[in-house]
Amino acid sequence: MFRIDDATAAGSIPTPEAAGTEGYFTEGNPATGTPATKVRGSWLNMIQEELRAIVVYGGLTPSKTVYTQVRDAIVAKFAKINGDNTQTFSVAPATQGQHAVPMAQAAGVVGSVRNLVISATAVTNNVLVTADEIIVETALGGIRYCLPSFSKAVTLTTTGAGGMDTGSAPVSGYVAIYAIWNPTTQTAALLAQNASTLRSNVYTGANMPAGYTASALISVWPTNSGGNLIAGYQVDRNFSFASTNVLSTSTTQASFTSLAMAGVVPPNARSIKGTLNAQLSSAGASLGAAVAASSTGIGGVTIQTSTAAANNSQVVGVFTLDLVTAQTLFYTFQTTGGSGPTLVISVSGYTL
């Protein structure tokens, strides 16, 4: 939209006359003495400047020989971020709080995943994370993004995107794994963080790689004495590993007693799965054992047997238990008669 460049054109915009009553153009009517509407320079300047402003706002240089600049400016300003010019009025993904949010960003909960899989068949310092979708956010309640067809690796021996956020992986501890997103470059990656304490569902550390503004906690994985990831398998937010004893005792407990599991279960675990294995070494006795989420027996799971007909009577139970207190369950173990009671509690997985 090039301004008029005739030799008679003014060098600067003239001051328009005082505004009158708005109306409409007419060609006039000589029979009735109705004059035709005069097209004044002030009105033409208004139209010229309005159209030119659109061209400049769209980032284009006004041209005298291009006749689609107003259209091109609108497309350039409002087209999808991926350059699909057929979607002229599509809303690009929001990157700041005051931006319009398209429907794809309006729903979802941070950390939600669909068909997420992480597999380590042996001790390793790197894993591949795949998922159909992962929801990330700039903060809890912040701008939300859905990452489709996710497939990224994380290596604990490096730092930055695709590695630890800072320092080395913890020894015999836990590593939090975040999916992270750079909305400017449309780039996804993974970022690991020491998870010795409870980690937020959005990364809140001081070492987010440059340009990455959104994140979601998708896993908390145990490490061994060498700072490597243990063998395990995760589907969505359910993590499984080789069954590990958290208690082996011959001491009975009549009331629910706390059992710390910090060496097996991370602070972020919301529930666990495992087994109870109780045994007596003499006949004619009974035993019972239970696990619960609290000292009052909330969510309790009980196993018991009685009038054992032979020595080495044994009973096994499988449980899934919510954790009211982080990394802690409560158990009881009681016997009537007999000798040599033993109770083994094992954990083989947890849910974040």
Side-chain angles (χ1 to χ4, degrees), residues 45-326:
N45 284 331
M46 177 180 66
I47 298 301
Q48 174 181 263
E49 294 307 302
E50 289 278 359
L51 294 174
R52 182 184 174 88
I54 296 174
V55 172
V56 174
Y57 183 66
L60 304 181
T61 301
S63 169
K64 188 173 181 177
T65 58
V66 178
Y67 305 118
T68 59
Q69 287 198 294
V70 172
R71 182 205 68 184
D72 294 344
I74 293 173
V75 169
K77 201 65 182 177
F78 299 108
K80 277 185 175 179
I81 199 168
N82 66 4
D84 183 358
N85 290 347
T86 66
Q87 303 295 325
T88 305
F89 291 103
S90 293
V91 179
T95 58
Q96 296 185 29
Q98 72 271 29
H99 290 180
V101 177
M103 288 301 295
Q105 287 184 269
V109 177
V110 65
S112 295
V113 296
R114 176 66 68 182
N115 292 332
L116 181 141
V117 173
I118 314 174
S119 177
T121 57
V123 172
T124 181
N125 62 23
N126 68 90
V127 287
L128 176 69
V129 177
T130 61
D132 290 346
E133 290 184 345
I134 300 176
I135 300 295
V136 297
E137 292 182 1
T138 55
L140 294 179
I143 300 173
R144 185 176 297 112
Y145 301 92
C146 178
L147 310 186
S149 303
F150 192 93
S151 181
K152 299 292 177 180
V154 62
T155 302
L156 303 188
T157 54
T158 65
T159 56
M164 294 291 298
D165 62 341
T166 186
S168 302
V171 171
S172 299
Y174 302 97
V175 167
I177 300 176
Y178 288 88
I180 58 176
W181 175 247
N182 183 328
T184 302
T185 61
Q186 303 282 286
T187 303
L190 294 171
L191 188 68
Q193 183 185 33
N194 188 324
S196 57
T197 58
L198 184 69
R199 291 303 176 190
S200 171
N201 284 299
V202 173
Y203 179 81
T204 57
N207 299 286
M208 179 73 93
Y212 290 86
T213 60
S215 60
L217 178 68
I218 56 174
S219 181
V220 178
W221 203 287
T223 61
N224 68 0
S225 59
N228 292 312
L229 302 173
I230 70 167
Y233 189 78
Q234 181 173 331
V235 176
D236 291 338
R237 298 183 71 84
N238 303 309
F239 178 72
S240 298
F241 54 93
S243 183
T244 303
N245 292 349
V246 292
L247 176 70
S248 180
T249 184
S250 297
T251 303
T252 58
Q253 298 287 351
S255 59
F256 280 106
T257 301
S258 64
L259 174 63
M261 302 175 292
V264 176
V265 177
N268 280 86
R270 305 306 301 154
S271 66
I272 58 172
K273 62 181 179 179
T275 59
L276 285 166
N277 187 321
Q279 185 173 346
L280 283 172
S281 60
S282 61
S286 63
L287 60 80
V291 290
S294 74
S295 60
T296 59
I298 293 175
V301 177
T302 301
I303 60 169
Q304 60 184 14
T305 185
S306 60
T307 60
N311 292 342
N312 298 316
S313 178
Q314 183 180 24
V315 61
V316 178
V318 178
F319 66 87
T320 298
L321 187 69
D322 292 331
L323 298 180
V324 174
T325 302

